[in-house]
Amino acid sequence: DFEDELKKTMGAKYAVATTSGTCSLLASLAALGIGAGDEVIVPGYTFIASISTIMLSGAIPVLAEIDESLTIDVTKIEELITPRTKAIMPVHMLGNPCKLDKIMEIAKKHNLYVIEDCCQAVGASYQGKRCGTHGDIGAFSLNIFKTISTGDGGAVITNDENLFKQLNCFLHNVQMAIGKRIKRTGV
Protein backbone atom coordinates (compact mmCIF):
# COMPACT_ATOMS: atom_id res chain seq x y z
CA ASP A 1 0.00 0.00 0.00
CA PHE A 2 2.83 2.39 0.87
CA GLU A 3 4.52 1.87 -2.51
CA ASP A 4 1.20 2.42 -4.33
CA GLU A 5 0.52 5.64 -2.41
CA LEU A 6 4.07 6.89 -2.90
CA LYS A 7 4.11 6.41 -6.66
CA LYS A 8 0.69 8.06 -6.93
CA THR A 9 1.75 11.02 -4.77
CA MET A 10 5.09 11.48 -6.51
CA GLY A 11 3.78 10.93 -10.04
CA ALA A 12 6.02 7.94 -10.74
CA LYS A 13 5.14 4.65 -12.41
CA TYR A 14 7.10 2.50 -9.95
CA ALA A 15 8.08 2.66 -6.28
CA VAL A 16 10.04 0.26 -4.08
CA ALA A 17 10.30 0.52 -0.30
CA THR A 18 13.76 0.08 1.23
CA THR A 19 15.24 -0.05 4.71
CA SER A 20 16.87 3.40 4.53
CA GLY A 21 17.98 6.28 2.36
CA THR A 22 21.42 4.69 2.19
CA CYS A 23 19.87 1.47 0.91
CA SER A 24 17.84 3.52 -1.60
CA LEU A 25 20.98 5.13 -3.00
CA LEU A 26 22.91 1.85 -3.11
CA ALA A 27 20.01 0.09 -4.85
CA SER A 28 19.74 2.95 -7.35
CA LEU A 29 23.42 2.67 -8.25
CA ALA A 30 23.12 -1.12 -8.58
CA ALA A 31 20.00 -0.89 -10.76
CA LEU A 32 21.85 1.40 -13.14
CA GLY A 33 24.80 -1.00 -13.31
CA ILE A 34 27.24 1.52 -11.85
CA GLY A 35 30.29 -0.21 -10.48
CA ALA A 36 34.06 -0.58 -10.46
CA GLY A 37 35.89 2.33 -12.04
CA ASP A 38 32.78 4.29 -13.02
CA GLU A 39 32.61 7.92 -11.92
CA VAL A 40 29.59 9.62 -10.36
CA ILE A 41 29.48 13.40 -10.00
CA VAL A 42 28.07 14.36 -6.59
CA PRO A 43 28.14 17.60 -4.60
CA GLY A 44 30.67 17.77 -1.78
CA TYR A 45 28.03 19.23 0.54
CA THR A 46 25.75 16.31 1.39
CA PHE A 47 25.18 13.57 3.94
CA ILE A 48 27.94 10.96 3.87
CA ALA A 49 25.63 8.27 2.38
CA SER A 50 25.61 10.03 -1.00
CA ILE A 51 29.36 9.61 -1.29
CA SER A 52 29.80 6.33 0.63
CA THR A 53 27.24 4.44 -1.48
CA ILE A 54 29.14 5.43 -4.62
CA MET A 55 32.29 4.01 -3.02
CA LEU A 56 30.48 0.87 -1.82
CA SER A 57 29.36 0.22 -5.39
CA GLY A 58 33.01 0.28 -6.47
CA ALA A 59 32.59 3.57 -8.32
CA ILE A 60 34.49 6.81 -7.79
CA PRO A 61 32.76 9.90 -6.35
CA VAL A 62 33.76 13.07 -8.17
CA LEU A 63 33.02 16.01 -5.90
CA ALA A 64 31.34 19.05 -7.37
CA GLU A 65 31.02 22.52 -5.90
CA ILE A 66 27.71 23.88 -4.64
CA ASP A 67 26.13 27.25 -5.31
CA GLU A 68 24.25 29.65 -3.02
CA SER A 69 21.25 27.28 -2.99
CA LEU A 70 23.45 24.67 -1.21
CA THR A 71 22.86 22.30 -4.14
CA ILE A 72 25.21 21.27 -6.96
CA ASP A 73 26.58 24.17 -8.99
CA VAL A 74 25.37 23.32 -12.49
CA THR A 75 27.99 25.60 -14.05
CA LYS A 76 30.73 23.30 -12.70
CA ILE A 77 29.37 19.90 -13.78
CA GLU A 78 30.61 19.65 -17.36
CA GLU A 79 34.25 20.33 -16.45
CA LEU A 80 34.14 17.22 -14.21
CA ILE A 81 32.89 14.83 -16.92
CA THR A 82 35.40 12.28 -18.20
CA PRO A 83 35.03 9.16 -20.37
CA ARG A 84 34.51 7.20 -17.09
CA THR A 85 31.60 9.35 -15.89
CA LYS A 86 28.37 7.34 -15.80
CA ALA A 87 26.03 9.48 -13.69
CA ILE A 88 25.26 12.72 -11.94
CA MET A 89 23.83 12.47 -8.43
CA PRO A 90 22.28 15.85 -7.59
CA VAL A 91 21.34 16.17 -3.91
CA HIS A 92 18.26 18.21 -3.09
CA MET A 93 19.48 19.75 0.19
CA LEU A 94 17.27 20.87 3.06
CA GLY A 95 14.13 20.64 0.92
CA ASN A 96 15.71 22.82 -1.76
CA PRO A 97 15.59 21.31 -5.26
CA CYS A 98 18.54 21.42 -7.64
CA LYS A 99 18.36 23.13 -11.01
CA LEU A 100 17.09 19.98 -12.67
CA ASP A 101 16.41 21.44 -16.10
CA LYS A 102 20.11 22.25 -16.58
CA ILE A 103 21.23 18.95 -14.98
CA MET A 104 18.99 16.95 -17.32
CA GLU A 105 20.27 18.94 -20.31
CA ILE A 106 23.89 18.14 -19.38
CA ALA A 107 23.05 14.46 -18.73
CA LYS A 108 21.32 14.11 -22.08
CA LYS A 109 24.19 15.83 -23.91
CA HIS A 110 26.76 13.45 -22.35
CA ASN A 111 24.57 10.32 -22.17
CA LEU A 112 24.68 10.15 -18.35
CA TYR A 113 22.24 8.77 -15.80
CA VAL A 114 20.72 11.07 -13.20
CA ILE A 115 20.18 9.67 -9.71
CA GLU A 116 18.22 12.20 -7.71
CA ASP A 117 19.16 12.06 -4.03
CA CYS A 118 15.89 13.24 -2.49
CA CYS A 119 16.72 11.99 1.00
CA GLN A 120 16.53 15.52 2.40
CA ALA A 121 13.70 16.74 0.19
CA VAL A 122 10.78 14.31 0.40
CA GLY A 123 7.81 16.00 -1.25
CA ALA A 124 9.77 18.83 -2.86
CA SER A 125 8.95 19.91 -6.41
CA TYR A 126 10.81 21.59 -9.22
CA GLN A 127 8.89 23.45 -11.92
CA GLY A 128 5.64 21.71 -10.93
CA LYS A 129 7.05 18.18 -10.98
CA ARG A 130 8.11 16.19 -7.90
CA CYS A 131 11.79 15.77 -7.18
CA GLY A 132 12.77 12.19 -7.88
CA THR A 133 10.83 12.04 -11.15
CA HIS A 134 13.05 14.27 -13.32
CA GLY A 135 16.03 11.92 -13.49
CA ASP A 136 16.28 8.22 -14.19
CA ILE A 137 15.72 7.28 -10.56
CA GLY A 138 14.93 9.02 -7.26
CA ALA A 139 16.11 7.86 -3.82
CA PHE A 140 14.39 8.82 -0.55
CA SER A 141 14.98 8.55 3.18
CA LEU A 142 12.06 8.39 5.58
CA ASN A 143 13.88 8.28 8.91
CA ILE A 144 12.80 10.17 11.98
CA PHE A 145 14.80 13.28 11.10
CA LYS A 146 13.13 13.83 7.72
CA THR A 147 10.18 16.07 6.92
CA ILE A 148 8.05 13.04 6.07
CA SER A 149 8.93 10.11 8.28
CA THR A 150 7.92 6.50 8.74
CA GLY A 151 10.25 6.20 11.73
CA ASP A 152 12.86 4.68 9.49
CA GLY A 153 13.10 3.33 5.97
CA GLY A 154 13.39 4.70 2.49
CA ALA A 155 12.11 4.30 -1.03
CA VAL A 156 13.14 4.48 -4.67
CA ILE A 157 10.97 5.71 -7.53
CA THR A 158 11.39 5.49 -11.29
CA ASN A 159 9.39 5.64 -14.48
CA ASP A 160 11.54 2.99 -16.15
CA GLU A 161 10.21 -0.58 -15.96
CA ASN A 162 13.66 -2.12 -16.50
CA LEU A 163 15.12 -0.10 -13.61
CA PHE A 164 12.19 -1.18 -11.44
CA LYS A 165 12.98 -4.83 -12.23
CA GLN A 166 16.69 -4.27 -11.51
CA LEU A 167 15.83 -2.61 -8.16
CA ASN A 168 13.71 -5.57 -7.13
CA CYS A 169 16.38 -8.04 -8.21
CA PHE A 170 19.08 -6.22 -6.24
CA LEU A 171 16.95 -5.92 -3.10
CA HIS A 172 15.90 -9.59 -3.32
CA ASN A 173 19.54 -10.66 -3.59
CA VAL A 174 20.46 -8.55 -0.56
CA GLN A 175 17.63 -10.14 1.45
CA MET A 176 18.77 -13.62 0.42
CA ALA A 177 22.38 -12.88 1.40
CA ILE A 178 21.31 -11.56 4.79
CA GLY A 179 19.06 -14.58 5.34
CA LYS A 180 21.91 -16.97 4.53
CA ARG A 181 24.24 -15.12 6.91
CA ILE A 182 21.71 -15.25 9.73
CA LYS A 183 21.13 -18.94 9.11
CA ARG A 184 24.88 -19.63 9.04
CA THR A 185 25.96 -17.47 11.98
CA GLY A 186 22.80 -16.93 14.00
CA VAL A 187 23.43 -13.16 13.78
Side-chain angles (χ1 to χ4, degrees):
D1 289 345
F2 168 73
E3 293 169 340
D4 288 340
E5 286 299 317
L6 181 66
K7 67 184 181 184
K8 186 170 29 173
T9 300
M10 301 308 282
K13 290 181 182 176
Y14 307 99
V16 179
T18 66
T19 58
S20 66
T22 302
C23 180
S24 296
L25 290 167
L26 195 56
S28 297
L29 289 159
L32 291 167
I34 294 173
D38 294 336
E39 294 177 352
V40 178
I41 297 171
V42 61
Y45 179 66
T46 183
F47 181 68
I48 191 65
S50 309
I51 296 167
S52 66
T53 55
I54 295 168
M55 294 169 62
L56 282 168
S57 72
I60 301 162
V62 176
L63 302 183
E65 293 294 328
I66 59 168
D67 62 20
E68 66 284 343
S69 70
L70 301 180
T71 66
I72 195 166
D73 185 341
V74 296
T75 67
K76 306 291 186 193
I77 294 173
E78 283 193 282
E79 65 193 45
L80 299 172
I81 296 172
T82 74
R84 294 170 58 177
T85 306
K86 297 292 184 239
I88 304 168
M89 184 188 285
V91 180
H92 306 296
M93 283 300 292
L94 308 170
N96 192 22
C98 300
K99 295 176 181 88
L100 289 162
D101 51 349
K102 183 64 178 166
I103 293 167
M104 295 308 298
E105 179 184 307
I106 293 167
K108 185 175 182 178
K109 177 180 174 184
H110 296 278
N111 197 31
L112 302 174
Y113 295 117
V114 175
I115 304 162
E116 290 183 68
D117 181 339
C118 305
C119 292
Q120 296 191 37
V122 178
S125 296
Y126 181 76
Q127 295 183 347
K129 189 175 172 183
R130 296 280 188 183
C131 290
T133 60
H134 294 261
D136 296 284
I137 203 161
F140 296 86
S141 173
L142 302 168
N143 78 18
I144 197 160
F145 300 108
K146 304 304 186 221
T147 52
I148 298 175
S149 174
T150 59
D152 211 349
V156 181
I157 60 173
T158 185
N159 286 315
D160 184 307
E161 184 178 9
N162 185 53
L163 288 179
F164 174 68
K165 289 176 182 177
Q166 294 299 321
L167 283 166
N168 279 314
C169 183
F170 173 78
L171 293 168
H172 173 75
N173 287 337
V174 168
Q175 288 175 333
M176 295 299 291
I178 291 170
K180 286 178 183 177
R181 181 175 186 267
I182 290 170
K183 200 176 212 182
R184 189 179 73 246
T185 64
V187 180

